Amino acid sequence: MMECILKMEDFRLSFHGEHGRVEAVKGIDLEVVAGEKVALVGESGCGKTALCRAVMMLHSRHATVESGKILLCGKDVTKMSEKALEQVRGRDAAMVFQDPMTSLNPVLSIGRQIMEPMLLHQKMKKQEARRQAEALLAQVGMTDVAARFRQYPHHFSGGMRQRAAIAIALAANPRLLICDEPTTALDIATQAQIMGLLRAVSEEAHRGVLFVTHDLGLARQMADRIAVMKDGLIVESGAAEAVFTNPQHDYTKALLRHAAAGKCSSYFYDQRRTEALPLSVQNTAPIPLVSVRGLSKQFLLGKQDVRTIFSDLFLTIERGEIVGLIGPSGCGKSTLAKCLAGILEPSFGTISFAPGCRTQLIFQDSAAALNPRMTLAEIIAEPLVIARRKRCMSQGLDGHIHTGKGRFGRGSFHKKVISEKVSEMMQLVGLSQELATRHPYDVSGGQRQRAAIARALITEPDFIVADEPVASLDVSMQAQIVQLLKSLCESRGLTMLFIAHDLPMVARISDRIVEMGKG
């Protein structure tokens, strides 16, 4: 009989805020044994991430364990002190997070971060830890590992960061590996590589894997057993093939129908509305809203080591147009997005906007982009607050938010106005008002991404750069968000650059598609 690494018994978890108590996990029984791969599937917001974070007791003070046990290698983590949990995390269980930038320390090199669990849990000497860290980088598919060891997270593409996160999770040789949506932001080729890596890691007989996803196709490829989660409950559990070939619960059947519909749509879309173009081909219409000419971006990785992300790019985007941008992981799509948003300065070339054009960016890694110390309401409101404050200061006012009457017309404004605008945006993107007082780490990945979209829309921009805005959402939610963005562009005259790996998804929303290659 195989050893039971994880056992959850009637586990219940709730969040508390201004809107009262919200049950996130409502009595879960779940097991993972040594050598087993268990996939936890369900739509965004069903409680998958809350359950996984609970295994390592990573929730904030707003979360309360209501009842039940979580036995990790035979020990109940719900009864442990924080000091005891520090010894468990990394050694008994390690987690690969959905957004790797949130789990990677931006001020430490990748090599140092891989070494830390070895030094802490395995008491290795630094020289041996470095050798093992470089070996792990090679194991997860990195090339030129000596150089990668010295580099920092911002030097890496999304796929490389996820590989580094897996290497860190494996550093102390944990008994349980928890993977929370580890491939959502990756292109198909990189996704397949990461899945192959995780499959190889899970072959070790002493280790169990809990794999969280909303992608049923990946779950079927990866898992020995599947647990289907809905509204904080596991509604069906069984052998992977049995769940797919003979589902018992109505919700499981509905998920499989959604997955089948999504798969079909991957092969049929209206070719007349899209065209694949190299970035060097320009749109010839006059007076574009955005014009990119001869753009190049390089990063200095060392005193003399220069990495060219892209070079000599040309692109024009007309007012009211939705342009889709596709390309493999690491080709520079996110770097181009940050250049367009003014976050990064191009090395060469120019970016021109039509007069008065206001730009907002929807980031790929919503968790990394949102301030963990702010509530969702504060996060969504922040661009509006900053914009109005700048306007006040330019008019010689004090720049503070006033609640008294009569100041709104002079550039200051009521808190009530902000609150109403935030509520409007939350409703627009499908966020429940009860989430307004939650923090980013207390909501699901899909809910975070909706908040990021609401934040981008609140200042009513002319141009939106949407960098993988649906990567963390399940199939049905993806379709809803894409339709929302498309309808917003049509009703408000917005212009958008929509970046994604999924060509059929891009084709459904775009007027024109541009393909970006590596180098």
Side-chain angles (χ1 to χ4, degrees):
M1 184 175 179
M2 299 298 291
E3 177 191 1
C4 183
I5 296 174
L6 173 67
K7 186 173 185 179
M8 306 184 82
E9 299 179 348
D10 192 30
F11 180 73
R12 298 173 185 268
L13 180 77
S14 296
F15 292 101
H16 301 268
E18 290 182 6
H19 294 276
R21 174 173 167 270
V22 178
E23 289 184 285
V25 181
K26 304 175 182 177
I28 292 291
D29 294 300
L30 180 68
E31 291 187 4
V32 180
V33 301
E36 184 182 35
K37 302 180 289 292
V38 177
L40 185 63
V41 304
E43 292 180 300
S44 178
C46 70
K48 303 187 302 292
T49 297
L51 186 152
C52 289
R53 293 178 70 90
V55 173
M56 300 178 68
M57 289 287 108
L58 292 175
H59 284 297
S60 70
R61 64 181 183 277
H62 301 291
T64 301
V65 175
E66 302 285 357
S67 64
K69 297 179 180 179
I70 301 178
L71 301 175
L72 181 61
C73 298
K75 296 165 288 189
D76 189 354
V77 296
T78 67
K79 306 297 183 184
M80 288 185 180
S81 66
E82 184 61 28
K83 185 175 182 180
L85 286 169
E86 288 176 1
Q87 298 301 314
V88 167
R89 296 171 184 147
R91 183 193 64 195
D92 293 339
M95 190 164 178
V96 181
F97 292 88
Q98 180 175 350
D99 300 307
M101 277 300 282
T102 62
S103 59
L104 299 177
N105 191 326
V107 300
L108 294 180
S109 69
I110 293 296
R112 173 72 180 274
Q113 294 184 61
I114 299 173
M115 287 173 60
E116 278 191 344
M118 300 175 183
L119 299 173
L120 175 65
H121 295 299
Q122 297 179 314
K123 310 300 181 185
M124 284 187 186
K125 294 183 178 180
K126 287 187 177 181
Q127 186 175 359
E128 174 63 13
R130 174 163 187 149
R131 188 184 69 79
Q132 292 280 9
E134 290 187 353
L136 268 176
L137 284 172
Q139 183 182 342
V140 299
M142 292 282 194
T143 58
D144 195 9
V145 294
R148 299 303 182 197
F149 182 93
R150 298 189 300 270
Q151 291 172 356
Y152 291 80
H154 66 274
H155 292 140
F156 283 19
S157 68
M160 292 167 63
R161 283 196 292 264
Q162 197 61 287
R163 291 170 187 270
I166 293 171
I168 294 169
L170 294 174
N173 200 22
R175 300 297 313 282
L176 177 68
L177 185 64
I178 305 171
C179 302
D180 185 11
E181 302 275 12
T183 62
T184 52
L186 306 178
D187 63 81
I188 293 174
T190 307
Q191 186 181 88
Q193 293 170 7
I194 294 296
M195 290 302 297
L197 169 62
L198 291 174
R199 196 176 292 111
V201 165
S202 68
E203 296 297 324
E204 299 180 34
H206 78 288
R207 179 178 289 130
V209 176
L210 180 60
F211 182 80
V212 181
T213 184
H214 57 248
D215 188 326
L216 295 181
L218 288 180
R220 190 172 193 174
Q221 294 174 30
M222 180 73 180
D224 303 309
R225 188 159 51 87
I226 291 177
V228 182
M229 194 166 181
K230 180 182 183 340
D231 297 332
L233 292 166
I234 291 180
V235 297
E236 183 167 352
S237 179
E241 279 306 305
V243 170
F244 274 90
T245 57
N246 188 27
Q248 300 299 305
H249 197 276
D250 289 343
Y251 178 68
T252 308
K253 296 174 183 177
L255 279 182
L256 292 172
R257 285 196 300 270
H258 277 304
K263 184 175 181 180
C264 289
S265 65
S266 296
Y267 298 98
F268 301 101
Y269 56 92
D270 188 355
Q271 293 274 6
R272 296 169 298 176
R273 294 189 63 255
T274 62
E275 54 179 330
L277 299 171
L279 276 177
S280 58
V281 178
Q282 297 188 58
N283 190 313
T284 57
I287 319 176
L289 184 71
V290 184
S291 179
V292 176
R293 295 182 175 276
L295 202 70
S296 298
K297 181 59 184 175
Q298 299 173 335
F299 287 110
L300 186 64
L301 303 183
K303 292 184 178 180
Q304 296 181 333
D305 188 9
V306 175
R307 181 185 174 200
T308 299
I309 307 300
F310 52 74
S311 60
D312 202 28
L313 300 187
F314 290 83
L315 176 68
T316 57
I317 303 176
E318 306 303 320
R319 190 178 295 274
E321 187 179 30
I322 301 176
V323 175
L325 180 63
I326 62 173
S329 179
C331 71
K333 301 186 301 297
S334 293
T335 301
L336 175 61
K338 291 174 184 176
C339 289
L340 289 169
I343 295 173
L344 294 177
E345 184 178 350
S347 302
F348 306 99
T350 61
I351 300 174
S352 303
F353 295 94
C357 177
R358 293 173 295 180
T359 303
Q360 284 284 8
L361 174 63
I362 302 172
F363 289 91
Q364 177 178 345
D365 294 327
S366 55
L370 305 183
N371 190 331
R373 295 181 178 86
M374 297 172 71
T375 65
L376 292 193
E378 291 169 338
I379 286 166
I380 294 169
E382 189 179 32
L384 183 62
V385 173
I386 292 172
R388 295 297 181 93
R389 185 174 294 153
K390 287 181 178 179
R391 187 180 304 172
C392 288
M393 295 178 71
S394 69
Q395 295 173 355
L397 301 175
D398 59 17
H400 292 290
I401 301 173
H402 295 274
T403 57
K405 295 180 179 179
R407 295 299 302 276
F408 183 75
R410 294 179 58 194
S412 215
F413 57 110
H414 297 280
K415 288 183 179 179
K416 182 180 178 182
V417 174
I418 300 176
S419 179
E420 290 174 350
K421 189 69 174 177
V422 169
S423 295
E424 177 190 342
M425 290 298 106
M426 290 184 70
Q427 183 177 1
L428 188 65
V429 300
L431 277 176
S432 170
Q433 294 298 316
E434 68 185 18
L435 299 176
T437 57
R438 295 267 197 96
H439 291 77
Y441 47 77
D442 281 337
V443 299
S444 70
Q447 290 165 338
R448 279 198 303 268
Q449 199 66 300
R450 289 170 182 265
I453 294 170
R455 174 186 169 89
L457 294 174
I458 199 165
T459 56
E460 300 182 1
D462 304 288
F463 178 50
I464 290 179
V465 182
D467 186 8
E468 298 277 6
V470 297
S472 60
L473 305 179
D474 57 81
V475 175
S476 62
M477 291 297 123
Q478 282 183 355
Q480 293 177 27
I481 293 297
V482 166
Q483 183 56 44
L484 169 64
L485 290 172
K486 185 174 177 62
S487 64
L488 286 168
C489 288
E490 292 173 349
S491 63
R492 301 190 178 195
L494 291 172
T495 304
M496 183 165 63
L497 180 67
F498 186 88
I499 301 172
H501 295 113
D502 186 348
L503 175 59
M505 180 68 71
V506 175
R508 284 195 288 274
I509 191 174
S510 304
D511 301 306
R512 179 164 56 95
I513 295 178
V514 175
E515 184 174 2
M516 191 170 181
K518 286 192 175 183

